[in-house]
Amino acid sequence: MIGALLRIPAYRLTHALGRPFARPINVTVSTTFRCNSRCLTCNVYERPVDELTVEEWDRAFAALGRAPVWFTFSGGEPFLRKDLPDIIEAAWRRCRPKVVNIPTNGTYGDRVVAGVQRLSPVLRGTELVINVSLDAVGERNDVIRGLPGDYAKATETLRRLKELRLPNLTVGLHSVISSHNVRDFPAIADSLMAMKPDQYIAEPAEERVELQTIGTGITPKPALFDPAIAHLEGRLRDGSGDGLPRLTRAIRLVYYRLARRTLRENRQVIPCYAAIASVHLAANGDVWGCCTKAKPLGNLRQNGFDFDAIWRSQAAGSERADIKAGKCACPLANAAYTSILCDAGALVQVGRNLVRPGKGAA
């Protein structure tokens, strides 16, 4: 956390001038676009892709150096890649991140558990976070996620992961609040939190270029999303939601407030630091400033895995200028967390939540 805060002046300078003064601390890696789910909120599996090999990912991570603090290895379904642990080990050797986060639908239980057992002792000094995705309870979840038996397999994977009790492992649940479940979300959240994950995360469904969901109408209406997320905020404030550390809970409360306002006002509530403090690396080596727009700034393969050349390119500068001008607005959680760290007002709110977790989060 301290290392990330020390880089904030460089990111603020980049936001002001458009020229990068530091590499991003928050890196999302789409290891694949393939997926065995057919979620009502995601069509990423339709993307054709020539995936980077482990050796190519190793070159990409070497180019990033020790800048990344937080990696997310996503998909598609990341555990469809049998070499996923090899990719993550390469990232750890090259970058030494403090957090490695892997979202999964949890349907490949044996592969998930074996991967975690292999990675946990290797990632010394790094928190390994596995977030199992569930969007409802029972058969309703299977309908939303487009995969019969999803709920049973995912909950069994959750149980097995919790039983590992590894010292650097956090086992979480993640839900997407969409037009398909928003009306029932308070009850859904209560049922899922009753499983006692180490953490519970929810975020609104988005119409994203990456997910090929533009025009699908999956984003919940603000009038419905507000009470849904307010219920979760209440659980977090009174400490009954999960076992989150106080700092994580304080940041998440600020994120939920920002997400509500973003949907209501359709604008950037605080300056966005996507393409500055955060970056998304696509499965084919494209570098995106953010996955909502999924606009390639350059391709690692085609640029000899020279990340800095892409990061300093005219395309990257134009992307930063568009984001700074407020030409886009989204409630994407991953990018929002680093934007919160870079915004003085949001950081003050985090501090208030630390001191008075029940106040000031509306």
Side-chain angles (χ1 to χ4, degrees):
M1 181 66 174
I2 298 301
L5 293 175
L6 290 175
R7 270 182 269 175
I8 288 176
Y11 296 139
R12 291 178 65 88
L13 196 58
T14 296
H15 189 269
L17 302 179
R19 182 161 57 92
F21 292 90
R23 294 169 184 158
I25 55 172
N26 178 359
V27 180
T28 298
V29 176
S30 287
T31 57
T32 184
F33 294 139
R34 292 176 288 135
C35 193
N36 59 319
S37 296
R38 294 295 181 265
C39 299
L40 298 178
T41 56
C42 178
N43 299 316
V44 73
Y45 58 87
E46 294 178 352
R47 278 184 168 272
V49 64
D50 181 12
E51 298 169 354
L52 295 190
T53 65
V54 174
E55 292 74 20
E56 288 176 315
W57 278 121
D58 183 65
R59 294 180 65 186
F61 301 140
L64 289 169
R66 295 298 178 90
V69 174
W70 171 16
F71 268 104
T72 298
F73 291 91
S74 68
E77 170 49 46
F79 282 97
L80 275 173
R81 288 198 65 153
K82 295 181 180 179
D83 56 3
L84 179 67
D86 298 318
I87 295 172
I88 295 174
E89 284 190 23
W92 188 85
R93 286 194 308 269
R94 297 291 192 178
C95 306
R96 292 295 197 273
K98 295 301 182 184
V99 178
V100 165
N101 173 45
I102 312 173
T104 175
N105 62 22
T107 59
Y108 292 90
D110 290 344
R111 199 175 294 179
V112 174
V113 171
V116 167
Q117 289 176 316
R118 171 181 161 181
L119 287 169
S120 176
V122 172
L123 306 185
R124 297 182 300 277
T126 297
E127 187 70 13
L128 176 60
V129 183
I130 307 294
N131 282 318
V132 179
S133 297
L134 286 171
D135 294 336
V137 178
E139 291 184 7
R140 181 58 185 154
N141 172 80
D142 297 356
V143 170
I144 293 174
R145 301 194 62 82
L147 185 63
D150 178 277
Y151 183 79
K153 291 177 182 177
T155 52
E156 174 63 10
T157 298
L158 177 74
R159 182 193 66 77
R160 293 174 64 185
L161 288 171
K162 288 174 60 179
E163 288 182 349
L164 293 177
R165 301 186 184 280
L166 298 169
N168 61 338
L169 175 63
T170 296
V171 181
L173 281 175
H174 176 274
S175 295
V176 174
I177 306 175
S178 71
S179 57
H180 300 289
N181 65 358
V182 64
R183 294 179 184 276
D184 303 321
F185 182 73
I188 291 169
D190 287 346
S191 295
L192 296 181
M193 282 188 279
M195 298 179 188
K196 299 191 181 301
D198 297 329
Q199 64 175 10
Y200 179 70
I201 308 167
E203 61 182 306
E206 298 175 75
E207 295 190 14
R208 283 160 43 179
V209 174
E210 175 209 14
L211 305 182
Q212 303 194 140
T213 52
I214 302 299
T216 58
I218 58 173
T219 303
K221 300 297 183 184
L224 296 175
F225 180 73
D226 277 3
I229 206 66
H231 176 78
L232 185 53
E233 288 176 322
R235 294 289 303 267
L236 286 178
R237 289 192 205 105
D238 66 20
S240 67
D242 50 33
L244 284 175
R246 288 182 64 202
L247 177 59
T248 305
R249 181 180 290 111
I251 294 173
R252 197 157 290 160
L253 281 168
V254 174
Y255 164 68
Y256 288 145
R257 176 178 60 86
L258 295 177
R260 283 201 282 161
R261 288 190 59 193
T262 301
L263 290 186
R264 283 200 308 264
E265 301 171 25
N266 192 29
R267 68 177 183 89
Q268 293 179 20
V269 179
I270 62 173
C272 179
Y273 281 77
I276 297 175
S278 61
V279 68
H280 195 118
L281 306 182
N284 65 344
D286 279 346
V287 177
W288 299 336
C290 77
C291 61
T292 301
K293 298 173 69 176
K295 181 179 179 181
L297 310 181
N299 183 277
L300 290 167
R301 269 184 181 145
Q302 296 168 9
N303 285 271
F305 292 87
D306 187 344
F307 177 82
D308 288 341
I310 297 172
W311 206 232
R312 294 191 301 263
S313 67
Q314 182 177 350
S318 296
E319 182 80 333
R320 294 185 190 106
D322 286 349
I323 294 172
K324 180 182 178 182
K327 293 184 179 181
C328 57
C330 77
L332 179 67
N334 214 331
Y337 294 146
T338 38
S339 294
I340 288 168
L341 294 178
C342 292
D343 183 77
L347 271 182
V348 169
Q349 182 64 67
V350 171
R352 288 176 179 168
N353 287 338
L354 280 170
V355 176
R356 298 179 299 167
K359 305 292 183 181

